Amino acid sequence: MTVAGEVVETETVNSGKPLVEVKGLRRVFDLSKPWLNRMIEREGRILLTAVDGVDFAIKEGETYALVGESGSGKSTIAKMAVGLLPPSAGSIMIDGTDVWGKKSQDTERRMRRKIQMIFQDPFASLNPRWRVGAIIAEPISAFGLISDPQDRAARVGELLSLVGLDPRDGQKFPHEFSGGQRQRIAIARALASEPKFIVCDEPTSALDVSVQAQVLNLLRDLQERLGLTYLFISHNLAVVRHVATRVGVLYLGRLVEEAPARDLFAAPQHPYTKMLLEAVPDIDMEGKDRQSIAGEIPNPITPPPGCHFHPRCPVRRVECDVKIPLPLPVGDATVRCHLFDPSP
Ligand code: SF4
């Protein structure tokens, strides 16, 4: 693929054990008005199921991409995975520890150190009043990794070099850097606690197209050098195609297709995945016009019954309106669609 003229290669293959295991993950938000207002206005509760029974696993050294339109639940999953938002049901195990299970303070601390997150907007995630050196040193101090100030400063310099910045940049403030450089600072800060697992939430979507490939290449190089495992959240399939080992496609909180990245892009199975791919500008589609994604994503407070995708599906069947499709194995993929149901 070409992102802004620069070639981003893919390939992060690792046949190791799962580092991350997500089972039956569910998150419901209560958007109801206060009780008294509901009584006066004779309104019921309003519940939004943002994530509805999601399962996936990420092997050590892999990049697992979650893709979907806005409102599909991908960022909610990211927040639950890093411990920012509790699930309503289900579990997330990271390196054998349940992120939301009861644990000792010591285990909690060790787990927190292993998990980091890189956000979409690097400027909003960096304290503008702190020098970059202090921003990167903060996790080193918080986790008690290096107590000697000189050694800590040397480590900050090492981290800045690792992400392609000058160690002297530690003296500057975030506003003195470009968007791409600020994302490099955010990556250096994420690496400061020596994590194993990093959640990258749309890490390049706020950047100029010209620097997206540089940041993606940096993430891939760091993965190879440090053996990192990524959960990569993105709405951009052109980016995902070149960073992911496996891909999960979300639609209104449900994982509708999950497959090795190569298989998913070469032979998508679910009608929604096909529709998403037909809308991607940067994929080989000789002789075909790019299609826009038909219809709009429905209101997640009142999702369509049966298969949530049925109002937009070009190959919808009678049962799709009422029957929820279950995840079914299709080759190396798992697909939620009645087309693959042997006994509909
Ligand atoms: Fe289309 Fe039915 Fe499959 Fe849903 S279950 S994607 S409506 S064919």
Side-chain angles (χ1 to χ4, degrees):
M1 167 193 71
T2 303
V3 177
E6 193 166 333
V7 173
V8 182
E9 291 168 18
T10 21
E11 221 46 42
T12 311
V13 177
N14 192 317
S15 57
K17 58 177 177 137
L19 182 81
V20 180
E21 283 182 284
V22 172
K23 286 195 181 141
L25 196 64
R26 186 175 161 82
R27 174 69 208 201
V28 180
F29 292 103
D30 188 345
L31 307 179
S32 315
K33 288 180 185 168
W35 175 81
L36 191 56
N37 295 52
R38 293 207 312 272
M39 289 301 110
I40 294 167
E41 294 166 27
R42 294 173 181 272
E43 279 183 11
R45 291 196 100 100
I46 299 173
L47 300 176
L48 186 155
T49 304
V51 177
D52 190 6
V54 165
D55 301 286
F56 63 90
I58 316 176
K59 287 181 188 166
E60 218 163 337
E62 269 192 356
T63 299
Y64 188 100
L66 277 177
V67 299
E69 292 167 278
S70 165
S72 59
K74 52 193 192 302
S75 287
T76 305
I77 294 173
K79 286 187 190 129
M80 290 192 277
V82 294
L84 290 175
L85 185 72
S88 306
S91 65
I92 304 165
M93 302 288 291
I94 296 180
D95 210 11
T97 306
D98 185 343
V99 174
W100 289 98
K102 274 196 176 166
K103 56 186 100 54
S104 68
Q105 270 195 336
D106 193 41
T107 308
E108 176 83 25
R109 196 178 164 81
R110 266 187 281 126
M111 187 197 73
R112 296 261 160 250
R113 209 187 123 183
K114 284 182 207 163
I115 309 169
Q116 287 297 324
M117 187 159 180
I118 298 165
F119 296 90
Q120 178 177 356
D121 181 354
F123 200 52
S125 69
L126 302 174
N127 188 333
R129 285 190 282 276
W130 284 21
R131 289 185 196 276
V132 163
I135 291 171
I136 298 171
E138 199 269 334
I140 301 173
S141 307
F143 288 105
L145 301 180
I146 302 173
S147 51
D148 180 74
Q150 273 193 337
D151 291 348
R152 200 162 51 229
R155 175 67 180 145
V156 168
E158 256 175 46
L159 287 163
L160 283 165
S161 300
L162 196 61
V163 298
L165 294 172
D166 191 310
R168 289 169 297 183
D169 286 336
Q171 293 304 313
K172 298 180 184 168
F173 289 95
H175 72 264
E176 297 178 66
F177 295 88
S178 67
Q181 288 171 325
R182 284 199 288 262
Q183 196 57 295
R184 286 174 190 267
I185 295 165
I187 294 168
R189 181 185 55 186
L191 295 176
S193 69
E194 297 165 20
K196 294 180 86 168
F197 175 52
I198 300 184
V199 175
C200 308
D201 190 1
E202 304 267 11
T204 60
S205 59
L207 302 178
D208 286 349
V209 176
S210 59
V211 294
Q212 286 188 6
Q214 295 166 15
V215 172
L216 293 173
N217 279 333
L218 173 66
L219 287 170
R220 193 204 53 198
D221 291 347
L222 291 170
Q223 181 172 50
E224 281 172 8
R225 287 173 73 169
L226 306 173
L228 298 167
T229 304
Y230 293 143
L231 174 61
F232 196 95
I233 307 292
S234 182
H235 68 281
N236 187 339
L237 278 165
V239 167
V240 163
R241 186 186 191 198
H242 294 277
V243 297
T245 322
R246 280 189 85 79
V247 182
V249 180
L250 281 166
Y251 189 76
L252 283 180
R254 291 180 189 157
L255 214 45
V256 296
E257 180 163 0
E258 213 245 1
R262 273 204 182 142
D263 296 359
L264 186 123
F265 285 96
Q269 302 295 329
H270 195 280
Y272 178 58
T273 314
K274 289 182 182 174
M275 195 183 274
L276 283 180
L277 286 177
E278 279 165 5
V280 176
D282 196 17
I283 284 181
D284 311 325
M285 292 179 60
E286 291 92 5
K288 286 191 204 169
D289 290 333
R290 175 154 66 105
Q291 306 289 312
S292 58
I293 303 175
E296 284 186 9
I297 199 158
N299 184 345
I301 295 170
T302 51
C307 171
H308 288 338
F309 187 59
H310 80 250
R312 300 169 79 183
C313 183
V315 288
R316 154 188 183 184
R317 293 176 170 185
V318 181
E319 68 268 25
C320 302
D321 300 17
V322 288
K323 194 174 159 194
I324 299 172
L326 298 173
L328 295 165
V330 181
D332 287 337
T334 302
V335 186
R336 262 185 188 251
C337 174
H338 291 308
L339 295 179
F340 301 92
D341 191 343
S343 54

